[in-house]
Amino acid sequence: MSRAPTSSMTAAVVAMICVVALNLRWFIPAEDSADGATSWLAALWCLAAVIATSFRWVNDAVSRRWTRADAAVALLVGGHLLGGMLVLMNGGNRHTAAILIVEWLGIAAVWSILRDLVRVPGIRAAIWQSTLLAIIAVAVSGCWQHWIELPSMAQRLGPKFDAVRAGSDVARQELSHEGVPLNEPDFTLFEKRLRDSREPFAFFALANTLGGFLAAGLMMLLADRLCATGSASVFADRENVARSKEKTLAEPVAHEEASKPQDWSGLTILGVIAIGLCLLLTKSRTALLAALLIGGTVVGFRVLGTRFKMLCSRRIVTIVVGGLIAATVLIGLLSRLGSWDREMLTEAAKSLSYRVYYWTGTAELIAEHPILGGGGLGQFRNAYLRVKAPAASEEIADPHNLLLDVWFQGGLLAAAGALWLAATLLVTVWKTSRPDSRATECRRPAEPRLLLCGAAAPWGAFLVQFFGTGYWDDRLLIVGLVLIVAAMLINSGRVSLPVPSRFACGSAALVLFVHLLGAGGIGYTAVMQFLLLCLAGTFSAAVVEDQPAPLKITTVWIQRGFFVVATVCVLLLWRPDLREMVESADQLMTKGAPDEVIRKTYTRAMQADRWDPIPCARLAEFEFRQWQGDPIRVTGNTSELPQNLQAAVNAIAEASQRDPQNGHWWYRRGTLLLTWAERVKSPLVAKLAVDSLNHAVDLYPTNSQWQADLSDAAIVAGTVSLAEKAARNALAQDDVNQRFGHLERILAAEIRARLERRTAVSPPN
C-alpha cells in the first residue's frame, strides 16, 4: 500500500495553507480584488502550488492525467492572462491589468491544487464542511445585517447626508471616514441605497454577489436530498449496484452508498433555513431564478430516473410541497415585515431591459476585436462608457454576463474555454445524477485539524483587515468563534454536516453558471474560486488511497515550471506597499499635516508605481484645494495658471497618460482649466479646457453633465456652434434621464435653464 498524502509533512502544510486560503476568501470583500487588496492570497496560492509540485506531495494514489476540464480551465485562464499582457504592451490601465494578472495566476494555482486535494476523502470532507459552515455563517450575518445593522446605519448616517447637502464640511469628513464615496453620482447612489433598501451583502460588497454564493450553497445542501429516494425496493436495487462496483476496489469498507439519503441533522436544517432566508432578503432575481431552475431540473432527474413511479417519488413530493408551502409562508411574512415588496417582481422587466443595454453594448465592443477581445483585462468600464446606451444608467464594471465578460477580457480563447467548461460540466452532472455513480464515491470523516483551520479563517480575515487597514470588525471575531465550536462538535461526532457528492457539487456549479449569465461577478476572484471549487468537486471523485492512477512525468515538470514562473511574476507585479503610501498621504491630509509633507508623500507614491493613476489624481485634488484656499491673484498674463492650479493640471494630465481610456481624468483636467478660464475670462485657457472636455465626451458621450461643461467651456472660448451642439446633447440626455428616473444624473435646474437659454429651446411641458 502506498503512503497516504496526509501522512507527510509537506502534504499537511500544503493542505493547511490551501484550506485556510480557500476560506479566507469568503470573509474578504470579493470586489476588492481589482484594487490589489487580495493579491497576497494569489501569491499564497502560487507558493503552495510551487511547494506541491516541487516536493510531489501528491503520490500515485491521487495523481491524475490531463483532462478535458483541465484543458478548458487552461484556455479560460490563458485567455485572461493574454488579455492582461496585451494591456501591458499596448496601453491602458496597466496597474489594474497587472493586479488581475496576479489574481488569474492565483486562480490557476487554485485549480491545480484543488483538483488533487478533493480526491483525498478526508481533505475533501474538511474542505466542503468548512465551506458549508462558512456559507451558513455568511447567511446568518446577512440576516443580522438586514434587520439590525443597516437600519442602525441609516439612522446614524441619514442626518449627515442632509448636513453634507446643506454644505457642512464636518459632516463631509465624517462620511469620508465611514467609507462613503463623496463624488457624484456615487454619493447619491450610496445615499439612495442606504435609505431605501435593506438588501444584505454580508462580507461581500454587493447583494448580487452574496445571492449567487448563497444559491450555490443551498444547492449543495439540497441536491443529494432532492435526488434521494424513499422507496425501499428501489433503494435495495441501487444498493446492489453499489456493492457490485465496490468489489472492484481495494477497500470496499471505505465506501458508503451515496444514494442512501443522509439524515437531516439539526445543523443541516439550520443551514437550509438561514441560507434560504438570506437568499430571499438579497432580492437577487438571477440567484433565485438559478436556484429554482437547477433545483427543478434536479427534481426532474429524480422523477425521470424513477419513471414517474409515485411510490419512489413520495419523498420528493413531500420535500417539494413542503418547500413550496414554507417559501410561500416565509415570503408572506417577509412582506408583512417590509423585507419583501412587489417591486421584486414588478421591476424585473426593467432590470432585464437594462441588462439588454449592457449586453448589446458589450457585443458592440467585442465585434471591434472578436479574436483578442473588446479591450483587455480590467478595461471593461472605460470601454463600455464609450458605447453606453442613453437609457442606461449605471457605469458598470462588467457586462453582467459570464460569456460576454470572459470574451471581452480574454478574447476568443477564454470564451472557448468557458463554453467547453460548461459543456463538460453538463455532461458530468448528467452522468453523476445516476444513483450507481453516486454509490461508488468514497466518504471519510474530515481531517480534524484541517476542519479547525478552515473554521478559524474568519479570525485570519480579522487580523488581515486590522493590521492592513486598521479596521476592527467584531463580526469576524464572533463568526470565527462560532465556526470553531461547530467544527469541534463535528469532529467529536455530536453534530453532522453532509459532504456534497459530485452531483451536488455539479448542481451548485450550474447554479453559479446560470446566475452569472445574468449578473456580474465572474471577474471577482472569490466568485471564480468558488466556481472552481464546485467544478473540482464535480470532476474529481474521492478515491481510496491505494487505487492506482498513472502520472505523466512531463505533466509534473510542466506544472513545476509554470508555477515557478507564476510565482516570480507575482513577486514582480505585486507591490502591496504602493497603495499604502496613498492612504498614508490621505491620513496626513485628514490630520492637518504640513502641506509639503503631504505633497512629498503623494509624489513618492506616483514615482513608486508608474502605472497607477490614483496617486496622480489624489495629488491633483490636493493641489486644487490648496489653490482654492489662497486669495486669487490675477497677473497681467491671464493665460498663466497659478502655481498650485498648474500643479493640479499637471498631475491629472499624468493620470490621463497612465489611464488614457478613462474619460474621468480628461474631464477633471478640463474642469480644472475651465475654473480658471471662467474666473479670468481667458479664451486661450478655455480652448485648452475644450480640448480636454471634448476628449472626455468622446469617451463618455451619454454624460449630460460633461456635455454641459463642454458647452460652458466653448462659450468662454468663443466657439458658439460647439457650445450650442453640446448644450443640445446635454438637454437630450437629461430628458432621457428624467424619463427613466435616473435621479442621480439629472441636471440641476439652474444648469438646465442656462442650456435652454443657450439653445433658445423652451422648457418642455
Side-chain angles (χ1 to χ4, degrees):
M1 181 181 294
S2 59
R3 179 170 55 86
T6 53
S7 64
S8 68
M9 181 62 68
T10 304
V13 171
V14 172
M16 192 173 297
I17 291 175
C18 295
V19 171
V20 173
L22 191 71
N23 286 278
L24 273 173
R25 285 282 187 189
W26 319 139
F27 301 99
I28 298 175
E31 296 80 2
D32 288 349
S33 57
D35 295 331
T38 60
S39 296
W40 63 274
L41 274 175
L44 187 63
W45 276 107
C46 288
L47 177 62
V50 170
I51 296 174
T53 54
S54 299
F55 293 92
R56 197 185 176 197
W57 69 277
V58 180
N59 64 7
D60 292 339
V62 292
S63 302
R64 56 182 175 79
R65 294 179 180 272
W66 185 267
T67 64
R68 295 184 181 89
D70 294 318
V73 173
L75 288 176
L76 181 62
V77 174
H80 283 83
L81 293 178
L82 178 60
M85 293 302 297
L86 290 175
V87 175
L88 296 183
M89 292 185 297
N90 299 330
N93 191 333
R94 292 184 173 91
H95 175 80
T96 300
I99 289 174
L100 293 180
I101 286 175
V102 170
E103 294 289 351
W104 278 97
L105 289 173
I107 287 172
V110 169
W111 174 254
S112 176
I113 296 177
L114 285 181
R115 286 281 275 128
D116 290 328
L117 282 179
V118 297
R119 293 171 64 85
V120 185
I123 299 179
R124 182 188 183 99
I127 288 175
W128 282 116
Q129 287 181 340
S130 62
T131 300
L132 287 174
L133 284 176
I135 295 173
I136 296 171
V138 168
V140 173
S141 300
C143 295
W144 174 83
Q145 190 177 55
H146 172 82
W147 277 301
I148 298 177
E149 183 182 14
L150 290 179
S152 174
M153 183 181 296
Q155 184 178 7
R156 178 168 53 87
L157 298 183
K160 296 180 181 179
F161 279 96
D162 298 332
V164 168
R165 297 195 180 280
S168 172
D169 292 334
V170 175
R172 188 178 184 87
Q173 291 182 358
E174 291 176 351
L175 288 181
S176 177
H177 292 160
E178 295 282 351
V180 177
L182 300 178
N183 296 325
E184 292 290 355
D186 296 332
F187 181 78
T188 301
L189 289 173
F190 190 98
E191 180 186 14
K192 185 178 180 181
R193 289 178 180 176
L194 183 65
R195 293 182 185 272
D196 302 338
S197 66
R198 295 290 185 271
E199 288 85 358
F201 45 86
F203 299 100
F204 297 91
L206 298 173
N208 241 355
T209 309
L210 174 62
F213 184 67
L214 295 176
L218 185 64
M219 188 54 57
M220 285 182 198
L221 289 175
L222 293 180
D224 288 329
R225 287 156 182 76
L226 290 177
C227 274
T229 178
S231 168
S233 60
V234 173
F235 178 71
D237 294 339
R238 296 181 178 180
E239 207 172 23
N240 293 332
V241 173
R243 288 198 187 97
S244 65
K245 287 184 173 290
E246 287 174 353
K247 292 179 181 179
T248 63
L249 300 176
E251 294 184 4
V253 72
H255 290 261
E256 294 179 2
E257 293 81 355
S259 59
K260 183 176 181 180
Q262 300 182 34
D263 294 334
W264 285 84
S265 66
L267 184 57
T268 305
I269 296 174
L270 173 63
V272 170
I273 294 174
I275 294 172
L277 177 60
C278 190
L279 177 59
L280 290 173
L281 293 177
T282 63
K283 300 181 183 179
S284 175
R285 301 178 184 88
T286 53
L288 288 169
L289 178 62
L292 292 175
L293 178 62
I294 302 303
T297 304
V298 169
V299 174
F301 282 161
R302 169 64 186 87
V303 175
L304 291 175
T306 57
R307 298 179 182 177
F308 298 98
K309 293 181 180 180
M310 294 306 297
L311 179 62
C312 302
S313 303
R314 187 178 304 163
R315 183 185 183 91
I316 294 299
V317 172
T318 302
I319 293 176
V320 171
V321 173
L324 291 176
I325 294 175
T328 303
V329 173
L330 184 60
I331 291 175
L333 179 61
L334 292 177
S335 299
R336 293 293 300 271
L337 294 175
S339 300
W340 245 58
D341 47 43
R342 294 180 179 178
E343 291 184 358
M344 174 67 186
L345 299 177
T346 58
E347 295 291 321
K350 182 179 179 181
S351 177
L352 179 60
S353 67
Y354 285 153
R355 277 164 171 73
V356 172
Y357 292 138
Y358 306 157
W359 300 338
T360 54
T362 307
E364 182 179 344
L365 293 171
I366 293 174
E368 297 176 359
H369 304 283
I371 304 299
L372 297 178
L377 190 62
Q379 314 299 305
F380 177 80
R381 174 175 289 173
N382 294 339
Y384 170 76
L385 295 180
R386 180 167 54 85
V387 297
K388 186 173 81 72
S393 173
E394 292 184 272
E395 299 176 3
I396 55 174
D398 58 72
H400 289 57
N401 181 275
L402 182 150
L403 180 60
L404 293 176
D405 196 339
V406 299
W407 197 342
F408 176 90
Q409 305 214 50
L412 193 58
L413 197 66
L419 290 174
W420 192 359
L421 197 59
T424 307
L425 175 63
L426 286 172
V427 173
T428 306
V429 171
W430 174 258
K431 291 180 179 179
T432 56
S433 66
R434 297 194 299 266
D436 60 329
S437 173
R438 297 196 302 277
T440 61
E441 295 188 24
C442 179
R443 298 179 185 274
R444 295 282 176 83
E447 292 283 348
R449 288 174 296 181
L450 292 183
L451 182 57
L452 284 174
C453 288
W459 286 357
F462 171 82
L463 294 176
V464 169
Q465 292 189 15
F466 180 74
F467 289 106
T469 63
Y471 179 64
W472 181 286
D473 193 344
D474 296 328
R475 298 176 302 169
L476 293 173
L477 296 176
I478 298 173
V479 168
L481 178 61
V482 173
L483 291 189
I484 288 176
V485 172
M488 294 174 65
L489 292 176
I490 292 174
N491 287 334
S492 66
R494 298 178 182 178
V495 175
S496 63
L497 193 63
V499 178
S501 66
R502 294 177 64 193
F503 175 71
C505 294
S507 301
L510 286 176
V511 168
L512 266 182
F513 261 107
V514 174
H515 169 67
L516 293 173
L517 287 175
I522 189 63
Y524 302 145
T525 309
V527 176
M528 191 63 195
Q529 176 182 283
F530 191 37
L531 178 60
L532 291 182
L533 176 61
C534 296
L535 292 173
T538 306
F539 296 132
S540 298
V543 297
V544 292
E545 294 167 351
D546 61 352
Q547 181 180 352
L551 176 67
K552 289 186 176 181
I553 300 301
T554 55
T555 302
V556 175
W557 280 104
I558 290 174
Q559 288 182 344
R560 288 174 182 172
F562 174 81
F563 287 116
V564 168
V565 173
T567 304
V568 173
C569 292
V570 167
L571 294 177
L572 290 176
L573 295 175
W574 178 43
R575 295 288 304 279
D577 58 318
L578 299 180
R579 282 292 174 88
E580 293 179 1
M581 296 174 66
V582 178
E583 295 173 358
S584 175
D586 293 341
Q587 294 175 0
L588 289 173
M589 186 167 56
T590 303
K591 296 177 180 179
D595 296 344
E596 192 60 31
V597 174
I598 299 173
R599 185 177 292 108
K600 287 182 178 179
T601 306
Y602 278 129
T603 303
R604 283 199 303 269
M606 289 174 57
Q607 295 172 349
D609 187 352
R610 299 286 182 176
W611 290 347
D612 192 0
I614 297 300
C616 308
R618 298 286 177 83
L619 177 60
E621 296 304 322
F622 168 74
E623 296 288 2
F624 179 67
R625 281 192 291 269
Q626 294 301 112
W627 171 70
Q628 285 183 315
D630 291 338
I632 300 177
R633 300 182 179 90
V634 180
T635 61
N637 184 7
T638 56
S639 62
E640 182 179 344
L641 273 64
Q643 181 178 357
N644 290 116
L645 185 58
Q646 184 64 59
V649 171
N650 293 340
I652 206 67
E654 176 65 22
S656 63
Q657 290 180 7
R658 298 183 178 191
D659 189 9
Q661 301 304 314
N662 191 333
H664 291 82
W665 310 134
W666 294 96
Y667 170 73
R668 186 54 178 150
R669 182 174 185 270
T671 54
L672 290 175
L673 293 169
L674 179 59
T675 302
W676 180 251
E678 288 181 331
R679 290 194 179 185
V680 300
K681 307 300 181 184
S682 171
L684 182 59
V685 177
K687 289 179 180 179
L688 296 176
V690 167
D691 292 339
S692 294
L693 291 172
N694 243 331
H695 194 73
V697 166
D698 289 340
L699 295 173
Y700 192 176
T702 58
N703 192 309
S704 57
Q705 184 62 56
W706 292 15
Q707 294 278 6
D709 289 334
L710 174 59
S711 178
D712 292 340
I715 286 293
V716 181
T719 315
V720 179
S721 59
L722 177 60
E724 293 179 353
K725 178 182 177 181
R728 284 192 294 269
N729 292 338
L731 291 173
Q733 181 60 46
D734 193 54
D735 291 338
V736 174
N737 292 339
Q738 293 187 23
R739 184 164 65 251
F740 284 88
H742 303 328
L743 301 179
E744 72 281 0
R745 301 190 182 279
I746 295 177
L747 294 174
E750 60 273 14
I751 296 178
R752 183 176 179 91
R754 183 170 69 248
L755 296 177
E756 288 172 346
R757 290 193 300 269
R758 191 168 296 161
T759 57
V761 175
S762 58
N765 295 327

